[in-house]
Amino acid sequence: MDVLQFNGYRVENMSYQRNDQYRQTSKQIIFSPEISSDIEKNGNNISVSLTVVVGALDKTETPFQATCSLVGSFVYHPEEDKANIGLNTLVQKNAVAILYPYIRAIISMLTNSSNEFPGFNLPTINVSDALAQQNN
C-alpha cells in the first residue's frame, strides 16, 4: 500500500476563450501560467484542488485564455509513512505533482482544438516549487 493513495480526479472546470483584444505581431507570445491550489483535509482523506490559467483576456499580448481546475482525491496511510515524511509534505509536494500532468493534457487539448492559434503545452515543472514562488 502507498503512503499517499490516489483515488482519482474530477474536472471542476475547463475552458478556452479567444481574446478579442489580441493584436497579432511578429513578437513571440510568452505565457506565464498562473497556478493555484487548495487542500482540504478530513482525517486521512484529502481533497486537493489544482487550477492553472494560461493567458489573459485583458491583455493584447495573449490570443486566448485557457483554464483548467481539477480536484484529486487522496488517502493518507500514516502506518506506511516509514520515513516520517508527514501528511503536509506529501500533499503539498506529491499530490499536486500527481494532478499536474492531467491539467497539462487538458490545456494542450483545449488550445490545440482552437484551430486558430498554435496549441500550447504547459512546461514540465516542479509544481510545488512554482506554487511556493508564486505565493511569495
Side-chain angles (χ1 to χ4, degrees):
M1 187 178 300
D2 296 325
V3 176
L4 189 64
Q5 177 184 333
F6 177 48
N7 290 332
Y9 72 92
R10 69 178 185 274
V11 176
E12 290 288 305
N13 175 42
M14 62 178 163
S15 67
Y16 174 93
Q17 239 181 313
R18 185 180 189 278
N19 181 2
D20 291 330
Q21 295 183 38
Y22 174 64
R23 300 294 171 249
Q24 193 164 5
T25 66
S26 59
K27 292 184 353 183
Q28 181 180 6
I29 300 169
I30 298 174
F31 289 104
S32 298
E34 296 177 21
I35 305 170
S36 59
S37 68
D38 186 45
I39 299 166
E40 292 183 23
K41 300 172 195 166
N42 184 6
N44 290 337
N45 296 310
I46 302 105
S47 289
V48 178
S49 299
L50 186 63
T51 300
V52 175
V53 179
V54 177
L57 298 177
D58 61 348
K59 297 180 180 177
T60 59
E61 298 87 24
T62 57
F64 57 79
Q65 183 177 61
T67 304
C68 183
S69 297
L70 302 179
V71 176
S73 174
F74 298 86
V75 176
Y76 173 62
H77 297 283
E79 67 280 359
E80 297 295 324
D81 191 1
K82 308 281 190 234
N84 292 320
I85 296 170
L87 174 62
N88 289 335
T89 301
L90 283 168
V91 170
Q92 290 173 356
K93 294 194 182 284
N94 294 24
V96 293
I98 289 168
L99 295 175
Y100 185 70
Y102 297 105
I103 286 186
R104 286 185 73 219
I106 291 169
I107 294 288
S108 176
M109 181 266 313
L110 288 170
T111 59
N112 277 308
S113 298
S114 77
N115 200 37
E116 184 176 13
F117 306 108
F120 178 72
N121 294 314
L122 285 165
T124 303
I125 60 170
N126 182 323
V127 184
S128 62
D129 284 354
L131 284 165
Q133 287 176 1
Q134 213 169 268
N135 289 336
N136 288 337

